[in-house]
Amino acid sequence: MAASATATSTWPKPNTYTKTIVNSTIQSPSILHFPKQSHKKYQTPSIPTTIEHQDSPTPQWNFLQKAASMALVAVENLIISQERNHPLPKTADPQVQISGNFAPVQEQPVHHHLPVTGKIPECISGVYVRNGANPHFEPTGGHHFFDGDGMVHAVKFKDGAASYACRYTETERLIQERNLGRTVFPKAIGELHGHSGIARLALFYARGLFGLVDHSQGTGVANAGLVYFNNRLLAMSEDDLPYHVQITSSGDLKTVERYSFDGQLDSTMIAHPKIDPETNELIALTYNVIQKPYLKYFRVSPKGVKSLDVDIELADPTMMHDFAITENFVVIPDQQVVFKISEMIRGGSPVVYDKEKVSRFGVLDKYAKDGSGIKWVEVPDCFCFHLWNAWEDKESDEIVVIGSCMTPADSIFNECDQGLESVLSEIRLNTKTGKSTRRAIISPQDQVNLEAGMVNRNKLGRKTQFAYLAIAEPWPKVSGFAKVDLFNGNITNFFYGDHKYGGEPLFLPRNPDSDKEDDGYILAFVHDEKAWKSELQIVNAMTLELEATVKLPSRVPYGFHGTFISEKDLEKQA
């Protein structure tokens, strides 16, 4: 059931721009199992019926710009009125997508000396950071959870004590919308579907034509991934360049810049770059949904020198959220979820499941100068939103890929009645024969949806025994995490507690030189939906015993991916 509330909204207070705010008439049943929360400090968003006052510009507009602004407001009101005549799909309904603890929170300055139950292990010294979607303004139309502005949550550990802060990543998009007092950039998933999506795109580019917004400096939200590379914490989403976020000495967060690797990167970068644990290179992809080449591969040296782009030939622009590396190769999925802008003309979503396409994985030498040597291996009916690891099996001469195969493949983006199933799988690619095999790692009686997590990152690209993955049940909430033995399929579950849900488990090695792969700790943000309070749990990865709980001063919404930056690395921040 969708959440309801009577308390004051936590949305920031922009300039007044609505004539009337009324409860949304969109009442499609929620696919999210949110608890009732009339006492909770969040009000389910409603959609404005009209936009009364367009943007309140920081720079003064000329007469032509003011006239254009008024005309475009009228167009936007027409779009909104037309949208309200058609129920939104659950995947774009803000009352579904950002209810309960999926709802946004306000920024928090640093809170020091947080209450701790148990003892924080001495080896945990540094900052745990996790990204997430946190919309700054109430939606004026459809909204998907992935559309929200990026917010980084940080817990800093030092001498057994902990502090907490959370801040928006100051993207070019967010800065402009703050200056204008409301949302004006199109939401890639929630709004860009059907004829109204085309109209919103046209409206946005018309505003750009008159100089009311500037989309030349990026339109992304930087809400998905985090990576620490070349002395910089980078916040990423695949619709833009990364953003450099600095951790201050007090444990606060500060956005430095939209980061282009000193002018070397001029296209978007996906949110899951890999850092090779042996070479310390950053390995990444960039893709384009409009023009060829749809996909490119590149590397960045530990000192920040970018390689030339390697074009990967694809017939259609493919959703490329993640990929994998081995010691010598890059493994690139070309799966059945594709972008077809033409579908919007037919009234649908541009994110499409292409049932005629056969999924395949490409294997490319890491140091290839071009894409001609890529070897494609078909893996029918396979869609992995995330790949956890890959390695080269010397005995069978195959590439082993570990990922969670999701069915239906596009259920995150398009409404469907079939329940989502995410099966942890071993996929073997034989580049000599062009054949593949796939098997479920966990036995049917132990099957649970496993969707977010990681292996020991010191073993990335090499054969690993253990994976730590979120138990995504009841979907899309996470009730705990599983430690899975990838060799024999044994699974050990850790649950966060009664009415407690979290997100991605982060594995932090106790000692990078340890011979034991699972010698370390699991860190995870957890929210108690009964007490309506959040905490950080620290779990021994070998024994799966709770070592410590850090009580947090404010609610932490369910989010996406994170990383840990050691105290030693923090001292060398750029």
Side-chain angles (χ1 to χ4, degrees):
M1 175 177 286
S4 61
T6 57
T8 303
S9 170
T10 61
W11 293 94
K13 303 298 183 184
N15 296 332
T16 301
Y17 64 90
T18 58
K19 183 179 296 181
T20 307
I21 299 291
V22 299
N23 290 331
S24 172
T25 59
I26 302 164
Q27 298 294 340
S28 56
S30 173
I31 56 170
L32 311 185
H33 305 286
F34 296 119
K36 291 183 179 180
Q37 46 167 349
S38 58
H39 63 291
K40 307 302 192 288
K41 297 180 180 179
Y42 175 73
Q43 185 174 0
T44 300
S46 56
I47 298 177
T49 54
T50 58
I51 304 298
E52 181 181 68
H53 183 264
Q54 164 66 358
D55 319 307
S56 300
T58 299
Q60 292 298 311
W61 289 341
N62 59 37
F63 175 79
L64 179 61
Q65 288 175 312
K66 291 178 180 178
S69 173
M70 293 177 63
L72 294 173
V73 167
V75 173
E76 185 171 8
N77 285 333
L78 180 61
I79 295 171
I80 291 174
S81 65
Q82 290 297 315
E83 286 179 336
R84 293 181 68 85
N85 293 328
H86 305 282
L88 287 170
K90 298 168 189 174
T91 51
D93 186 346
Q95 295 202 61
V96 173
Q97 291 291 310
I98 45 177
S99 295
N101 194 44
F102 290 89
V105 293
Q106 294 177 338
E107 291 184 316
Q108 291 289 328
V110 182
H111 294 258
H112 294 286
H113 308 296
L114 302 179
V116 177
T117 302
K119 183 179 180 181
I120 298 172
E122 293 181 4
C123 66
I124 300 182
S125 182
V127 177
Y128 170 48
V129 284
R130 198 221 65 196
N131 212 343
N134 199 84
H136 189 281
F137 293 105
E138 291 190 65
T140 60
H143 183 96
H144 187 282
F145 180 52
F146 290 177
D147 290 328
D149 300 291
M151 174 176 276
V152 178
H153 301 260
V155 176
K156 185 175 183 180
F157 300 92
K158 189 170 184 179
D159 300 326
S163 66
Y164 169 80
C166 66
R167 297 288 185 183
Y168 281 103
T169 298
E170 302 286 336
T171 63
E172 292 291 334
R173 174 187 183 125
L174 179 60
I175 290 170
Q176 290 190 60
E177 291 192 334
R178 276 178 168 169
N179 289 338
L180 299 173
R182 66 186 194 83
T183 177
V184 292
F185 283 68
K187 291 177 168 47
I189 305 175
E191 290 182 344
L192 298 188
H193 47 80
H195 299 154
S196 66
I198 296 174
R200 284 186 177 271
L201 269 180
L203 180 70
F204 176 67
Y205 284 106
R207 283 181 169 139
L209 183 65
F210 286 101
L212 307 179
V213 297
D214 179 9
H215 55 75
S216 65
Q217 299 302 311
T219 61
V221 288
N223 66 13
L226 291 170
V227 66
Y228 190 78
F229 174 73
N230 193 24
N231 302 324
R232 292 170 176 85
L233 174 64
L234 302 179
M236 303 158 293
S237 57
E238 49 241 40
D239 52 1
D240 206 341
L241 300 182
Y243 278 80
H244 174 195
V245 178
Q246 189 178 67
I247 310 291
T248 71
S249 58
S250 68
D252 210 340
L253 298 147
K254 177 184 177 182
T255 304
V256 179
E257 62 177 336
R258 183 171 179 253
Y259 188 62
S260 63
F261 296 89
D262 296 325
Q264 298 176 91
L265 181 65
D266 59 3
S267 55
T268 64
M269 186 175 84
I270 70 168
H272 287 284
K274 311 299 178 187
I275 296 181
D276 188 292
E278 296 294 331
T279 67
N280 293 317
E281 294 173 295
L282 181 140
I283 299 168
L285 301 173
T286 174
Y287 70 90
N288 191 307
V289 302
I290 303 296
Q291 61 185 18
K292 290 186 175 183
Y294 296 128
L295 183 67
K296 295 184 288 188
Y297 157 72
F298 66 91
R299 296 172 290 107
V300 184
S301 76
K303 293 185 178 180
V305 179
K306 179 182 171 294
S307 71
L308 295 175
D309 290 332
V310 175
D311 295 350
I312 308 297
E313 187 174 340
L314 299 177
D316 298 296
T318 300
M319 167 154 289
M320 198 72 61
H321 183 68
D322 200 2
F323 71 108
I325 63 170
T326 70
E327 186 176 356
N328 298 294
F329 300 103
V330 181
V331 182
I332 301 171
D334 176 23
Q335 302 174 117
Q336 291 172 284
V337 178
V338 300
F339 294 96
K340 291 188 177 181
I341 306 300
S342 59
E343 289 298 315
M344 294 176 66
I345 300 174
R346 300 185 181 95
S349 168
V351 183
V352 178
Y353 173 70
D354 185 351
K355 62 182 180 180
E356 302 299 325
K357 181 179 179 180
V358 178
S359 293
R360 59 181 186 165
F361 285 71
V363 180
L364 179 69
D365 188 287
K366 271 186 187 174
Y367 299 97
K369 300 298 183 182
D370 58 56
S372 62
I374 193 167
K375 297 179 180 179
W376 292 103
V377 180
E378 292 186 350
V379 186
D381 301 318
C382 173
F383 176 77
C384 294
F385 200 53
H386 294 103
L387 300 176
W388 312 120
N389 201 16
W391 61 83
E392 300 157 36
D393 188 331
K394 306 298 183 182
E395 294 182 4
S396 65
D397 202 21
E398 295 174 314
I399 303 293
V400 179
V401 182
I402 306 297
S404 291
C405 294
M406 186 179 292
T407 307
D410 63 340
S411 58
I412 293 177
F413 309 102
N414 295 311
E415 188 173 351
C416 64
D417 295 327
Q418 183 179 350
L420 184 139
E421 187 176 27
S422 185
V423 178
L424 181 64
S425 303
E426 178 191 88
I427 302 164
R428 287 182 169 265
L429 311 173
N430 191 315
T431 57
K432 292 182 178 179
T433 65
K435 303 294 184 181
S436 69
T437 60
R438 175 159 54 110
R439 69 173 184 90
I441 293 175
I442 301 170
S443 63
Q445 59 267 27
D446 294 329
Q447 167 60 27
V448 290
N449 287 333
L450 300 177
E451 211 343 87
M454 64 182 60
V455 299
N456 184 328
R457 286 180 176 170
N458 294 325
K459 307 288 185 181
L460 193 68
R462 283 73 183 168
K463 189 174 183 178
T464 44
Q465 181 177 1
F466 299 108
Y468 307 89
L469 303 171
I471 301 173
E473 295 183 4
W475 176 264
K477 294 195 290 189
V478 171
S479 54
F481 68 86
K483 178 182 180 181
V484 183
D485 189 318
L486 302 176
F487 295 171
N488 58 29
N490 289 342
I491 179 172
T492 307
N493 296 328
F494 177 89
F495 294 99
Y496 295 130
D498 186 36
H499 292 95
K500 291 184 177 183
Y501 301 93
E504 176 191 70
L506 180 133
F507 176 81
L508 178 64
R510 184 196 308 268
N511 183 341
D513 299 322
S514 176
D515 293 332
K516 297 181 179 180
E517 184 185 316
D518 60 345
D519 184 12
Y521 297 92
I522 300 296
L523 280 65
F525 283 115
V526 175
H527 182 67
D528 187 330
E529 294 194 349
K530 189 174 182 180
W532 207 243
K533 294 182 178 179
S534 296
E535 61 193 25
L536 177 72
Q537 293 189 4
I538 302 173
V539 181
N540 187 306
M542 297 182 74
T543 65
L544 294 197
E545 294 180 354
L546 183 64
E547 296 267 346
T549 300
V550 180
K551 303 297 182 182
L552 301 176
S554 66
R555 180 171 63 84
V556 177
Y558 305 130
F560 301 134
H561 307 291
T563 191
F564 191 92
I565 310 166
S566 70
E567 187 69 30
K568 182 179 179 181
D569 284 336
L570 283 174
E571 294 172 357
K572 298 183 289 185
Q573 270 192 108

